Amino acid sequence: MRAWFPIVFVAVAILVAARVEADDATARSLLAKAILSSNVKEQVELIGKLAETGSETVPPVLNAWREGKVFVHQTPDGQKVPFLRTNGKATRIDDGSPIEAPETTPVESTTKLRKAMKNALDVLTIAGPDPQGRRAAITKLGMTQNAAYLPIFEARLAIEKDPSVLTALREAIAITQLAAA
């Protein structure tokens, strides 16, 4: 029976790695689509979906977009490629590969988009590794009293181990339910 353990462990590791790659590919696709869209409503919806991916790719790109560090390169064949520039290097958002792009005009973001980005980042923080960050994000989202966050709070409540985060979750759920009543 112990001979199976290494095989099972490797199989689980492969499945987890495949899911992470799929999540990152999905996140990158959603990010590119959101950046290239000219419809603010569609952008807000796509940004909302990004929060559900759990991808570690999302926060750096959303933060860069909010800070005016995301650009769009037009290839000779007319294709638009979103990229971000960090430390003088341009990186494609859709696949993470390097790109030679001279553009210096950042992609615009409206107040509505920046708010959607901040909410997506807060939701991603709830699942993050830092208990203080999770607690702060839960408290902040709980204060909005938005019933849409209840399923997120309840799902996290089922798996959370940190006592201070559990307290914040219970309070956020109570505040949100009270507002909805």
Side-chain angles (χ1 to χ4, degrees):
M1 186 187 256
R2 289 185 185 185
W4 288 98
F5 180 74
I7 295 169
V8 170
F9 180 76
V10 169
V12 168
I14 290 170
L15 288 172
V16 168
R19 179 161 186 243
V20 168
E21 281 184 32
D23 287 347
D24 281 347
T26 299
R28 287 183 178 282
S29 173
L30 289 171
L31 282 163
K33 191 172 180 181
I35 291 165
L36 294 175
S37 176
S38 60
N39 182 321
V40 174
K41 184 178 179 183
E42 179 185 29
Q43 288 177 308
V44 169
E45 288 173 10
L46 291 167
I47 290 168
K49 290 179 182 178
L50 286 167
E52 299 168 10
T53 66
S55 172
E56 293 179 7
T57 302
V58 174
V61 175
L62 289 183
N63 282 323
W65 189 0
R66 289 174 60 210
E67 296 168 4
K69 296 178 183 174
V70 170
F71 308 88
V72 176
H73 173 69
Q74 189 156 346
T75 64
D77 63 356
Q79 180 186 10
K80 292 183 177 182
V81 180
F83 69 96
L84 60 97
R85 191 176 315 235
T86 51
N87 301 326
K89 295 181 182 178
T91 306
R92 290 177 64 128
I93 291 170
D94 59 352
D95 65 10
S97 65
I99 184 172
E100 290 295 325
E103 286 80 6
T104 57
T105 304
V107 174
E108 291 183 23
S109 62
T110 64
T111 302
K112 191 172 188 175
L113 280 178
R114 287 189 297 277
K115 183 177 179 181
M117 289 181 218
K118 182 63 179 140
N119 285 342
L121 290 166
D122 286 341
V123 169
L124 286 166
T125 302
I126 290 173
D130 176 29
Q132 290 179 334
R134 290 196 307 271
R135 187 177 67 243
I138 290 162
T139 300
K140 181 177 180 179
L141 293 176
M143 291 303 211
T144 67
Q145 300 177 342
N146 184 341
Y149 294 128
L150 274 174
I152 297 165
F153 295 150
E154 290 166 346
R156 188 66 204 183
L157 185 64
I159 60 171
E160 184 59 56
K161 303 284 188 242
D162 187 277
S164 67
V165 179
L166 284 168
T167 300
L169 280 165
R170 288 184 191 106
E171 290 173 358
I173 290 169
I175 291 169
T176 305
Q177 288 174 336
L178 185 61

